[in-house]
Amino acid sequence: MSLKLKYLAPLFCLISMASYAQEIKTIIPENYIAYHSAEAIAIDGNENDVSWSKVNWSDPFIDIQGIKKPAYKTQIKMLWDDTYFYILAKMEEPHVWADITEHDAIIFHNNDFEVFVDPDGDTHNYYEIEVNAINTIWDLFITKPYREQNNVVLNDWTATGMKTAITIDGTLNNPNDTDKGWTLEMAIPWSVYKKSYFENNVPKDQFWRVNFSRVNWDYQITDGKYERKKDANGKHLSEYNWVWSPQGVINMHEPEKWGYVYFSSKEVGEKDTFEVSNDEKIKWELYKLYRAQKQYYETNKTWSTSLNKIASSAIIVDGKTIKPTLINHRFGWTIFVKSPFSNKLMTIKEDGTFVKK
């Protein structure tokens, strides 16, 4: 872990602990159907490829808690082929600026666009990529969410073979005019997500858990240059966090709340459907219990031994009552339930790991 991340990780842990009290409402993750493209997408920061014209923009981003409408619009499109996961992001921005040029620096100290991917949806071993308006990249691999102990952040992980390009509708780093915004186009190879050499991990007709975040700062002009705005005491004002799928809390590192991207085998221009399964809805409920158990520990300095102490109401999914079991043991606890829809055993552990088999 780099020096900068040694300081960042404790900060994220504090944010995560505080976020339990911030959660306002039940979050229903967004979903998007990414269609297959037979044509090669030219990564040039434009949306000129025919395939892009055949797919819809997402709904505009919302603030991270899912409450406020952002000041500037952000929308995305997604496609895929056998080699790449393609992302197109268009961001309204009247002042396009960036000054971080070092790879793997803390890019979100500029306005940026961020991609989060958890291929197997167990909330562990996920990937984050941040890009600013001059195409500087921070790519990192995270073994566990920051809320967990003994997590490892691999700052030296690199999305080898990734292609990114940016176009700016306006002028970069010029405070004397008003811009319209910037567009980011990305091609992320499936190979960067492989766990083994022979693994076929192209998610044809499958979904992955994915989210996108846009960090935006108030600015001030100092010596003719943009910088993050400070208050009267010289402290930076808080950033804005605008996201595709709202988290309900000011914390992107709760992967169980990310959206669903379904990679349809249908060619772009055709139509497909996707619905979140009932098993996924049970999983949402298990993570509510997980977060409630975490909160119980914060308050009582011990784990609850009874679901009645942490479950606020009966769990009902598609008309069926779900009755999980809580088992405490010397290393922590486990909550599990057999799905009435698939007969699969669904388990969540004290470190947030989810297993279905």
Side-chain angles (χ1 to χ4, degrees):
M1 185 186 300
S2 70
L3 180 62
K4 65 175 75 73
L5 286 175
K6 286 182 180 179
Y7 289 102
L8 275 175
L11 171 63
F12 280 116
C13 285
L14 291 174
I15 291 172
S16 182
M17 289 298 102
S19 69
Y20 296 118
Q22 297 173 5
E23 192 156 0
I24 294 172
K25 61 180 181 179
T26 299
I27 295 297
I28 305 298
E30 294 288 327
N31 66 78
Y32 188 97
I33 298 176
Y35 290 95
H36 185 267
S37 175
E39 80 163 332
I41 305 297
I43 304 302
D44 54 12
N46 290 296
E47 52 182 301
N48 297 332
D49 299 272
V50 174
S51 290
W52 285 131
S53 68
K54 295 180 179 180
V55 294
N56 294 327
W57 288 104
S58 70
D59 289 336
F61 282 25
I62 190 71
D63 85 292
I64 194 168
Q65 290 178 287
I67 303 170
K68 299 176 183 177
K69 180 180 178 181
Y72 311 126
K73 182 185 288 187
T74 308
Q75 290 179 285
I76 51 173
K77 291 183 177 184
M78 288 173 267
L79 292 167
W80 71 282
D81 63 20
D82 293 344
T83 306
Y84 294 106
F85 176 21
Y86 297 105
I87 299 163
L88 184 71
K90 179 176 283 190
M91 292 159 277
E92 289 182 351
E93 175 56 68
H95 297 278
V96 181
W97 66 277
D99 60 9
I100 297 175
T101 59
E102 180 188 354
H103 181 85
D104 282 347
I106 304 175
I107 301 301
F108 65 77
H109 284 172
N110 282 171
N111 296 340
D112 77 353
F113 185 82
E114 304 177 356
V115 180
F116 299 82
V117 177
D118 180 9
D120 61 6
D122 70 348
T123 76
H124 287 206
N125 299 317
Y126 61 90
Y127 306 80
E128 178 179 355
I129 299 169
E130 303 185 6
V131 188
N132 68 5
I134 52 176
N135 207 13
T136 307
I137 293 169
W138 185 14
D139 41 11
L140 57 158
F141 174 82
I142 302 161
T143 61
K144 298 180 182 181
Y146 292 105
R147 63 195 173 194
E148 301 300 337
Q149 295 182 353
N150 302 317
N151 73 313
V152 176
V153 179
L154 298 180
N155 196 35
D156 56 356
W157 173 80
T158 299
T160 303
M162 179 175 68
K163 297 186 277 188
T164 60
I166 288 168
T167 56
I168 297 171
D169 193 350
T171 54
L172 177 71
N173 291 331
N174 183 357
N176 299 314
D177 65 0
T178 300
D179 309 312
K180 290 187 177 179
W182 56 295
T183 300
L184 167 65
E185 191 174 25
M186 309 177 70
I188 307 174
W190 300 118
S191 58
V192 307
Y193 301 121
K194 276 192 173 186
K195 299 185 292 296
S196 62
Y197 183 80
F198 294 103
E199 180 187 17
N200 178 12
N201 70 330
V202 180
K204 179 179 178 181
D205 292 326
Q206 300 174 47
F207 67 79
W208 280 8
R209 302 302 299 272
V210 177
N211 212 347
F212 304 95
S213 172
R214 176 182 174 184
V215 172
N216 202 268
W217 298 87
D218 288 322
Y219 69 90
Q220 62 188 38
I221 306 298
T222 303
D223 297 328
K225 296 181 178 179
Y226 289 101
E227 66 176 13
R228 290 180 291 159
K229 192 171 184 177
K230 299 176 182 177
D231 62 19
N233 297 317
K235 181 180 179 181
H236 288 116
L237 300 181
S238 296
E239 77 277 15
Y240 303 98
N241 296 276
W242 303 329
V243 304
W244 171 52
S245 192
Q247 295 287 106
V249 296
I250 305 175
N251 184 3
M252 284 302 296
H253 294 271
E254 295 193 353
E256 68 272 13
K257 297 177 182 176
W258 294 351
Y260 293 82
V261 176
Y262 178 73
F263 297 94
S264 172
S265 60
K266 293 184 180 295
E267 292 297 319
V268 62
E270 300 180 27
K271 293 297 180 184
D272 204 349
T273 59
F274 169 73
E275 291 186 6
V276 176
S277 70
N278 285 329
D279 276 9
E280 282 296 304
K281 294 174 183 178
I282 294 174
K283 184 178 174 182
W284 300 348
E285 299 298 329
L286 292 180
Y287 272 103
K288 287 181 185 178
L289 294 175
Y290 156 84
R291 292 191 292 273
Q293 178 73 302
K294 286 277 192 177
Q295 182 61 61
Y296 186 93
Y297 187 88
E298 284 297 301
T299 301
N300 300 284
K301 306 308 176 187
T302 187
W303 297 117
S304 173
T305 58
S306 170
L307 285 177
N308 291 333
K309 295 179 180 179
I310 60 174
S312 58
S313 60
I315 299 174
I316 299 176
V317 175
D318 198 21
K320 294 185 180 293
T321 300
I322 309 301
K323 297 181 179 180
T325 298
L326 168 63
I327 295 179
N328 292 71
H329 48 80
R330 61 180 297 188
F331 300 110
W333 51 268
T334 300
I335 297 175
F336 62 90
V337 66
K338 188 174 183 180
S339 167
F341 306 104
S342 67
N343 287 323
K344 298 285 187 178
L345 185 66
M346 305 175 69
T347 303
I348 190 167
K349 297 167 55 179
E350 71 282 340
D351 69 350
T353 303
F354 176 82
V355 178
K356 178 180 173 181
K357 59 183 181 179

